[in-house]
Amino acid sequence: MSVRSWINAEEAKATLIAEGWKWLLHSSREIDEPRARWASGFWAPEYLIGVDRADPRSSHRFHLQTATRYSQDTPWTELDHWLAHEVRPGDSVLLDICLLGFNSVLYLLPALLKLKLKRLACFYVAPTSYAFPKDPLADLLLQSIEQPKAYVASLSYDKEKGRARHLVFLGFDHARAWKFIDARGWKLQDVHTVLGDPAFVQDGEARARSAAEPWLPEFESARPEHLHRVQADDPYATKKLCQDIFSQTEWLDIVPIGPKPMALGVLWFYFGLNEEDRARVRLLYDFPTQQNPRSQGIGRLYVYDCEEMMMGRVSDD
């Protein structure tokens, strides 16, 4: 998965226009963040497709809308059929993942891959800064911790199956990562954590560490080799880490609550597995719905080319 980035927003805009991308899929939720509307702000309206969850309590049903067409409740199984009425084989699609949850990207990418596109890429804008409420998770509507529908692995923890490992990405939400560890009763000796290093924003590592207090300092002191650092804007680094951890265990849980490019790396790893191996990996998520603005400014802008996903190339060559 190749990556391009720009620090100058006008240069990024000029490049995207010159490259002739046709469709932009983006979150249609009304969140007042500059990065959330950056790309859709200059896109031709007739080639915009807005996406949102049909119900905050449902992670696999979607609102979809264009300038002339609207679907109030489309299940994940019909996403490709709905999109095929608009997007033609040979078209190019840019998927704006700034405000799309992990589960939305999980369902949208396979649907888009069925459309025989000429080009498919994910677009992401890092903010200049974040703001979070004082009360942990107060501005997120969270669901119970589950596996996404249709991506369910039944992991067994009996002795014959061997010890599972749990890969937890550390985001900026206080207490969120621990919620998974605590709810599942995982032993810390089996947990691996991931920090974005370097992070997207200034003091990003310090913010992630603060969000993981009070348990992370003791965890790191006792098991320094279980705290992994990967470049936050490099999906390949995340994919490689997932492969390395998976090669050491029979069963793997992944909690993808870090930055969106890290989530892309998780999906790159996951979709590259054969059916037998995928049955040994469990994606666990709490399906948040963001209710208030969380970021300010336009930082670096990224385009992640999904050609390797499209072509089924998952090797490291």
Side-chain angles (χ1 to χ4, degrees):
M1 181 186 292
S2 63
V3 56
R4 294 175 293 155
S5 68
W6 302 263
I7 194 62
N8 185 296
E10 288 302 315
E11 182 181 342
K13 176 181 175 180
T15 301
L16 294 176
I17 292 174
E19 290 177 348
W21 292 91
K22 185 172 182 179
W23 293 96
L24 178 73
L25 270 68
H26 67 108
S27 171
S28 58
R29 282 189 294 122
E30 296 296 330
I31 298 290
D32 187 19
E33 293 187 19
R35 65 180 185 147
R37 299 290 173 259
W38 185 85
S40 59
F42 67 83
W43 216 268
E46 62 269 29
Y47 294 118
L48 285 172
I49 300 178
V51 182
D52 193 8
R53 281 158 61 172
D55 187 322
R57 296 164 296 182
S58 173
S59 64
H60 57 279
R61 307 186 75 89
F62 298 89
H63 290 316
L64 298 162
Q65 64 184 65
T66 67
T68 59
R69 190 162 166 251
Y70 177 75
S71 166
Q72 185 173 356
D73 189 353
T74 298
W76 67 272
T77 52
E78 298 178 14
L79 280 174
D80 57 323
H81 300 295
W82 197 96
L83 291 169
H85 282 281
E86 308 292 337
V87 182
R88 299 290 181 258
D91 281 354
S92 56
V93 173
L94 202 60
L95 178 62
D96 184 340
I97 62 175
C98 289
L99 287 190
L100 292 176
F102 173 81
N103 55 294
S104 297
V105 181
L106 173 70
Y107 291 121
L108 283 167
L109 277 177
L112 289 166
L113 296 179
K114 294 179 181 179
L115 302 184
K116 300 181 179 180
L117 302 171
K118 180 181 180 181
R119 288 181 298 172
L120 171 62
C122 290
F123 176 72
Y124 182 75
V125 181
T128 55
S129 62
Y130 285 99
F132 292 88
K134 293 182 180 179
D135 295 332
L137 309 177
D139 66 335
L140 291 179
L141 179 62
L142 298 171
Q143 307 303 312
S144 59
I145 296 172
E146 295 178 353
Q147 299 178 76
K149 191 176 180 66
Y151 296 100
V152 176
S154 298
L155 298 190
S156 174
Y157 293 96
D158 58 45
K159 294 181 180 180
E160 290 74 27
K161 296 296 184 181
R163 194 180 74 188
R165 296 190 182 181
H166 322 291
L167 188 59
V168 181
F169 289 77
L170 301 178
F172 293 157
D173 290 297
H174 186 71
R176 190 175 173 201
W178 178 255
K179 182 185 70 171
F180 286 82
I181 298 171
D182 184 54
R184 295 287 164 166
W186 292 335
K187 296 179 180 179
L188 290 181
Q189 68 189 37
D190 300 328
V191 172
H192 289 253
T193 57
V194 189
L195 274 174
D197 182 21
F200 283 111
V201 294
Q202 187 176 3
D203 299 327
E205 179 178 341
R207 186 184 289 274
R209 285 181 173 276
S210 176
E213 291 181 349
W215 63 274
L216 185 63
E218 183 178 348
F219 173 87
E220 182 179 11
S221 176
R223 304 168 186 83
E225 73 280 4
H226 283 207
L227 178 62
H228 305 271
R229 299 170 179 272
V230 298
Q231 188 168 327
D233 61 0
D234 184 0
Y236 177 79
T238 295
K239 172 199 171 190
K240 186 66 167 59
L241 174 63
C242 292
Q243 290 175 326
D244 290 345
I245 301 298
F246 189 48
S247 69
Q248 302 168 27
T249 187
E250 293 184 49
W251 307 94
L252 179 63
D253 290 319
I254 302 179
V255 179
I257 59 175
K260 296 294 174 59
M262 285 183 162
L264 281 182
V266 169
L267 292 177
W268 192 6
F269 159 74
Y270 184 75
F271 287 134
L273 298 173
N274 60 40
E275 186 175 348
E276 181 179 351
D277 284 341
R278 197 180 293 181
R280 299 191 289 122
V281 175
R282 183 165 61 173
L283 303 174
L284 294 170
Y285 203 51
D286 52 4
F287 310 100
T289 299
Q290 181 181 340
Q291 302 182 92
N292 299 305
R294 287 187 142 206
S295 74
Q296 296 84 38
I298 300 294
R300 185 171 288 275
L301 304 94
Y302 298 84
V303 169
Y304 297 97
D305 192 333
C306 295
E307 181 184 1
E308 292 190 49
M309 283 188 183
M310 292 177 68
M311 299 300 293
R313 297 203 302 265
V314 295
S315 71
D316 298 331
D317 298 337

